Amino acid sequence: MSGVVIAVSRSTTHTFTKPNQESIQLLTGLGVEGDSHMGKTVQHRSRVAVDPNQPNLRQIHLIHAELHDELQAAGFAVSAGQMGENITTRGINLLDLPTGTRLHLGNKAVVELTGLGNPCAQLDQFQTGLMAAVLDRDEHGKLIRKAGVMGIVAIGGEVRSGDRIQIELPPEPHQSLDRV
């Protein structure tokens, strides 16, 4: 399985959207160089308020461009970086990958998936109804979070639009991604 990086984004401040960049530098164990969510410990304000010493399992936020396609078809105006993601992908069903999957990005960088992004009210502040649009229910009523996946930087390196993504699954048994 492989895919491609469509866009890379970062923001030095805690803004909801992240401007697209020509490239981003991933730093091992920290996240995106120059991004407000970079760090060994949590950087998301809501999590810092609870316990600022917990490990940062949300160093990198990835969203599949297919979600943008789905949302655009439903009338939303969204594009790469606007939902807070650092890396926008195409060709990989990120939500179906198990915890511990390693995404090899470009020539060197590796991101290890830690869990699902948890949609927040900022989505509705960006566009009314967007939060509900990235939540769904399966046939058993279980909540489906579609707002991307989170990961940590296992191996640093430069990532840019057009880079190939190779998937390395963890040993079985696989554990489904859950919110982090």
Side-chain angles (χ1 to χ4, degrees), residues 16-153:
F16 178 68
T17 61
K18 295 180 185 278
N20 294 156
Q21 308 292 317
E22 184 177 313
S23 69
I24 56 174
Q25 187 69 32
L26 304 188
L27 303 175
T28 304
L30 294 173
V32 177
E33 182 177 42
D35 190 79
S36 63
H37 294 108
M38 182 184 84
K40 288 183 186 270
T41 57
V42 293
Q43 301 298 311
H44 287 77
R45 289 187 251 179
S46 62
R47 294 172 188 266
V48 169
V50 172
D51 178 4
N53 298 312
Q54 59 187 308
N56 187 2
L57 301 178
R58 300 165 59 95
Q59 294 173 358
I60 304 289
H61 182 191
L62 300 97
I63 287 183
H64 48 295
E66 292 83 354
L67 176 62
H68 294 154
D69 298 343
E70 176 186 326
L71 294 170
Q72 289 165 1
F76 294 96
V78 293
S79 60
Q82 290 187 317
M83 292 174 58
E85 74 271 23
N86 299 109
I87 299 173
T88 309
T89 69
R90 185 169 292 282
I92 299 173
N93 187 345
L94 295 172
L95 304 178
D96 282 348
L97 295 172
T99 300
T101 296
R102 296 180 126 215
L103 301 178
H104 296 257
L105 306 156
N107 294 327
K108 184 178 176 188
V110 178
V111 170
E112 185 174 316
L113 301 186
T114 56
L116 296 170
N118 193 30
C120 71
Q122 288 182 325
L123 288 165
D124 279 343
Q125 294 168 4
F126 179 64
Q127 289 181 48
T128 302
L130 189 56
M131 184 163 164
V134 298
L135 295 171
D136 205 351
R137 299 258 177 204
D138 68 13
E139 64 275 3
H140 306 290
K142 183 181 176 201
L143 186 63
I144 299 171
R145 293 172 174 85
K146 301 188 287 184
V149 298
M150 308 305 272
I152 58 170
V153 180

